[in-house]
Amino acid sequence: MDLLLTHGYFLYEDPKELQIMKPYPPLGILYICAYLRRKGMQAEIFDSTFSTREQLLHTIQSGPASVLGVYANLMTRNNVVDILRRAKDAGWQTIVGGPDPGAYIEEYLDAGADFVVLGEGEVTLEELLPVLHGKSYRPLEEIAGIAFRSSSGSIIHTRSREQIRDINSQPWPAREAIDMDRYVSVWREHHGRGSVSLITARGCPYHCRWCSHQVFGKTHRRRTPASVADELAWLIERYHPDMAWMADDVFTIHHGWLFEYAAELNKRNLKVPFECISRADRLNPQVVETLAKIGCFRLWIGSESGSQRILDAMERGVTVEQVQTAVALCRSNGIQTGMFVMWGFEGEELDDVEATIQHVKKTDPDIFFTTVAYPIQGTPYSDQVADRMQRLKPWKVSSDREVRIRGRHSRHFYGIADQLLRSEVELERTRRKSSMEASAIAEMQNKIADLRTGLLASSGEVEA
Ligand code: B12
């Protein structure tokens, strides 16, 4: 075997996901595997999602040792660090890639990675693996897109890896290398329908200050509508899913593409319900109507804040009104909406929190998720708060989420804001349905008044 690919995500160690049970395979390593196999290399995947840490370690330790490539994001970091260390101990050469390592080159090299791959992994591994297996004597310094330690211990960072120009020429993810049916059946078991994921583009050109552009920069490349339709048709034939998830950062980024894709699906009489993520400014009546026609049943929109001041500070490039209009458009086209809300971005004050509460109440999405902003290393937001940021645990055993930002409102404050938001939205929904007794409504109003008092009282609490 030339390369064993894995990732550090173990579903059975994730109590939150065990309740949600909506797993998808890691497309990045599946793409790499397919590419290397096409080039005649022996690449395999140990998909950790449904497996245990012990099973992975057993595979590593029982050898024979070769080259291990691990995908890491900020959440899987501590598992990945553990895997790298164990693999080194068992004699493997180790490579790490994905969105987290490029932002922490030195840390990953110190934690047991022989190489950090920056950007897309396909071509870099095609060039690196023959050197590691002694089949090529090309100097490592000549291989673009890697960082490693020289024999003197200094870190060598080679020139940037050029991005794959034509992503259509790439083979589809090597789903046959993993137990893909298990993903579909877990979905079906827990949600009554099986789901598959696919991706139509790489990279996002927007510049929201908190978002990581570590792998693809701010570029954007799309596959052809026909190629995506081919993959979808094959997925349906091979795995019989009941729905799909288009895993793009912004699915409706290119309207012309979407209309062509819709025509392609229509021509083939292909329709499978799907969900996707988009931005409010990339939605209009024709786009939403098209989405509905091709089977979109739920659209996720990053709404983030109801305060224009904060949206502008995030460089989100979207207005509060655009979000409200987009959600209403979806509703009138029978598409459910999910909204992401972010608390605690730089400069957020009580008025902004209140604006967000009023915004979500007014917009009334079918679902919304909230998070307290966290600085992903390498983002403008992270640079902005760097001198006030304190890691709560050592890097190796934490993620970029476990940090304190001096001067920001306390976690307690955002906890109350969150409860207030949920209570306000619930009351608003109840009122709309007019299904609740007046006494119950009064009780909810009292709870809201208490929460608002609590929010005000805690607004002076800041992180030390
Ligand atoms: C789909 C997705 C998810 C899915 C994951 C499902 C799955 N198993 O794939 C879900 C919804 C579950 C999810 C959750 C989260 N996600 Co997410 N997600 C994405 C998204 C939109 C697409 C991933 C994808 O398929 N990309 C396409 C492939 C081709 O790209 P790739 O994975 O980066 O792989 C390429 C390179 O990285 C490299 N590479 C990858 N692996 C390896 C391995 C080796 C050895 C080598 C050499 C190279 C290499 O080569 C690959 C091919 O070119 C990305 C954004 C993006 N566009 O990538 C965010 C992204 C990965 N997610 C992110 C985040 C923050 C999260 C969450 C923490 C969010 C949250 N608050 O809960 C969670 C973490 C979940 C977890 N426990 O791991 C961040 C990660 C930032 C970081 N620095 O770590 C990203 C980059 C979004 C962003 N721009 O901020 N996510």
Side-chain angles (χ1 to χ4, degrees):
M1 180 174 40
D2 296 314
L3 176 71
L4 178 63
L5 287 158
T6 192
H7 57 118
Y9 181 67
F10 301 99
L11 190 150
Y12 295 108
E13 290 184 11
D14 182 346
K16 261 196 194 161
E17 187 61 33
L18 279 170
Q19 289 187 342
I20 302 168
M21 286 306 249
K22 293 187 170 180
Y24 284 111
L27 291 178
I29 56 174
L30 268 60
Y31 267 112
I32 292 177
C33 182
Y35 179 86
L36 295 176
R37 283 181 174 183
R38 182 188 267 184
K39 296 286 171 181
M41 294 187 189
Q42 282 184 348
E44 298 296 336
I45 296 182
F46 184 101
D47 182 10
S48 54
T49 302
F50 301 113
S51 126
T52 64
R53 194 180 291 257
E54 291 66 35
Q55 282 167 324
L56 173 58
L57 296 179
H58 176 74
T59 302
I60 290 171
Q61 280 152 4
S62 49
S66 175
V67 179
L68 183 73
V70 195
Y71 167 80
N73 66 34
L74 60 90
M75 292 298 280
T76 56
R77 180 192 303 154
N78 57 356
N79 289 346
V80 171
V81 165
D82 182 38
I83 294 164
L84 290 171
R85 177 54 53 212
R86 309 278 196 128
K88 281 309 299 167
D89 290 348
W92 291 69
Q93 299 188 78
T94 53
I95 309 175
V96 69
D100 197 46
Y104 289 107
I105 294 175
E106 188 170 0
E107 289 82 349
Y108 273 99
L109 292 177
D110 288 347
D114 295 319
F115 296 92
V116 171
V117 167
L118 298 116
E120 289 177 325
E122 287 92 337
V123 185
T124 304
L125 286 173
E126 181 190 357
E127 294 179 14
L128 180 59
L129 288 172
V131 178
L132 300 187
H133 288 292
K135 293 179 187 157
S136 157
Y137 295 97
R138 194 170 168 198
L140 288 169
E141 288 79 357
E142 279 183 13
I143 297 176
I146 57 172
F148 59 98
R149 278 199 193 277
S150 69
S151 48
S152 68
S154 63
I155 295 177
I156 298 185
H157 195 153
T158 63
R159 73 194 149 83
S160 315
R161 166 64 58 190
E162 214 180 288
Q163 291 188 329
I164 296 167
R165 272 204 205 120
D166 175 16
I167 55 169
N168 279 299
S169 59
Q170 295 304 299
W172 297 338
R175 296 182 178 91
E176 69 281 5
I178 61 168
D179 187 358
M180 186 60 207
D181 291 307
R182 178 120 184 230
Y183 284 92
V184 181
S185 63
V186 162
W187 263 85
R188 193 166 284 129
E189 225 171 84
H190 291 268
H191 309 288
R193 39 187 187 173
S195 187
V196 291
S197 61
L198 67 161
I199 193 154
T200 77
R202 285 192 181 185
C204 170
Y206 293 95
H207 26 76
C208 311
R209 293 180 70 80
W210 34 260
C211 184
S212 167
H213 288 263
Q214 190 64 48
V215 174
F216 302 112
K218 295 202 173 88
T219 59
H220 183 71
R221 289 156 292 158
R222 299 205 70 81
R223 296 169 55 193
T224 61
S227 147
V228 178
D230 284 346
E231 187 179 351
L232 184 66
W234 178 80
L235 284 167
I236 295 170
E237 198 186 304
R238 170 67 186 81
Y239 299 108
H240 313 292
D242 309 291
M243 61 167 276
W245 180 38
M246 309 307 280
D248 297 46
D249 300 78
V250 185
F251 182 62
T252 63
I253 200 166
H254 191 309
H255 293 175
W257 185 94
L258 179 75
F259 301 143
E260 266 184 58
Y261 176 61
E264 193 66 46
L265 294 183
N266 196 26
K267 196 170 80 190
R268 301 170 188 222
N269 208 7
L270 201 62
K271 186 170 174 181
V272 63
F274 72 95
E275 55 184 326
C276 61
I277 303 179
S278 193
R279 293 168 53 95
D281 60 325
R282 298 310 300 149
L283 296 167
N284 65 31
Q286 200 190 351
V287 167
V288 176
E289 210 175 287
T290 305
L291 285 173
K293 274 195 189 137
I294 61 173
C296 177
F297 69 93
R298 186 184 294 129
L299 190 92
W300 294 91
I301 297 180
S303 167
E304 321 305 350
S305 176
S307 159
Q308 194 59 47
R309 199 175 71 80
I310 295 300
L311 288 181
D312 293 344
M314 291 173 173
E315 295 184 33
R316 184 84 181 105
V318 176
T319 65
V320 175
E321 288 70 31
Q322 279 173 321
V323 174
Q324 293 172 352
T325 308
V327 171
L329 253 179
C330 287
R331 188 175 299 121
S332 61
N333 280 277
I335 299 177
Q336 293 173 33
T337 44
M339 239 159 73
F340 299 115
V341 173
M342 185 186 281
W343 298 120
F345 192 75
E346 277 295 278
E348 186 181 62
E349 291 304 339
L350 201 54
D351 287 354
D352 305 303
V353 169
E354 198 58 63
T356 298
I357 294 170
Q358 297 314 320
H359 166 62
V360 181
K361 242 170 84 171
K362 182 171 171 192
T363 316
D364 193 27
D366 296 275
I367 320 169
F368 61 91
F369 287 126
T370 60
T371 180
V372 176
Y374 53 92
I376 302 179
Q377 180 85 352
T379 60
Y381 174 46
S382 172
D383 295 342
Q384 194 175 355
V385 298
D387 57 347
R388 287 179 287 126
M389 199 169 85
Q390 192 201 343
R391 221 171 263 292
L392 298 175
K393 288 189 218 155
W395 176 84
K396 274 185 186 176
V397 290
S398 67
S399 76
D400 288 353
R401 300 176 67 149
E402 286 135 312
V403 296
R404 188 164 31 224
I405 298 170
R406 209 172 344 108
R408 180 162 86 171
H409 286 293
S410 64
R411 289 270 160 179
H412 177 227
F413 172 81
Y414 286 115
I416 300 176
D418 216 65
Q419 283 183 52
L420 182 56
L421 167 65
R422 287 172 199 287
S423 306
E424 285 267 32
V425 170
E426 196 188 327
L427 178 60
E428 188 66 18
R429 283 181 182 159
T430 309
R431 273 199 183 123
R432 279 200 195 111
K433 287 188 209 142
S434 60
S435 58
M436 207 184 241
E437 299 274 323
S439 60
I441 289 187
E443 201 179 304
M444 280 178 85
Q445 281 168 330
N446 286 340
K447 181 181 170 193
I448 286 171
D450 288 347
L451 284 167
R452 198 159 261 115
T453 309
L455 188 70
L456 185 63
S458 63
S459 63
E461 292 170 12
V462 290
E463 294 188 340

